[in-house]
Amino acid sequence: MLYITAEALSPKGTDQVITTTATALKVLPIAAEHPTQLYAAGSLAILALGALAVSYAAIATLARNRGSAVATVAALIGGIGAFCGAIVNVLVYPNLAAAATAHLSAGAAARFLATTFNSGFGHGFSYAYFVGIYAAPALMGYALWRSRSVPRWLAVLFFAGLEVAQAQISSGPVVILYMLPFAAAMVLLAARIWQAAALPASQPQPEPAPVPASST
């Protein structure tokens, strides 16, 4: 829900990596009109990516025996990618809002944004983020498929839904429709995780074996 709300709330055209001053000059007027909306969308996006990192670790617990090693790798890549994504979203949302509302000329603000995104810092976190958002869902979907711990259609729904959700750009509330399959997959996986966590407690514990009497 955090992820969906962040994308639906972000002003149209602002959810993008700004690598040129031409792009910056296009989005700065939009950001200047909606700075509060940008700050709110950025905060939700950062929280959503933190929740996604935790979700990867939780989903990995479903893949046991076959697929467990791949699920562990997917959780690691997904967690790192989500962390890097949170850093990138600081540049995309709050950084843009601050540049748009600072008392700078449009040219100076555009150069500042392009320089930030083209820095080694910006490139490093952006590359790690993009690797994570494409590799981790594929690996986790494969792990769930191979382990047979969930129906295979759910493994496909998780992979396809997350890939489609992460490909969305700020285009208004219509993005909710494209992200609903991802939301459905996460709800169904959450139910499976809760069931798996409650299973040991619901099973009767075996009685301890009697200790044989020692012979004298």
Side-chain angles (χ1 to χ4, degrees), residues 139-158:
L139 289 172
M140 189 63 78
Y142 171 75
L144 293 173
W145 176 285
R146 181 173 171 76
S147 69
R148 296 179 180 270
S149 56
V150 300
R152 285 188 162 178
W153 62 263
L154 182 52
V156 173
L157 181 65
F158 167 77

Side-chain angles (χ1 to χ4, degrees), residues 55-152:
S55 297
Y56 269 116
I59 294 169
T61 62
L62 291 174
R64 299 176 180 175
N65 301 321
R66 294 186 305 172
S68 59
V70 178
T72 301
V73 173
L76 179 61
I77 294 175
I80 294 174
F83 170 77
C84 293
I87 301 299
V88 172
N89 275 274
V90 171
L91 301 181
V92 171
Y93 291 110
N95 194 52
L96 173 59
T101 55
H103 298 293
L104 298 172
S105 66
R111 287 191 297 273
F112 167 76
L113 290 172
T115 301
T116 302
F117 279 97
N118 286 315
S119 65
F121 177 90
H123 280 161
F125 282 100
S126 294
Y127 293 152
Y129 175 40
F130 289 125
V131 169
I133 65 175
Y134 289 110
L139 289 172
M140 189 63 78
Y142 171 75
L144 293 173
W145 176 285
R146 181 173 171 76
S147 69
R148 296 179 180 270
S149 56
V150 300
R152 285 188 162 178

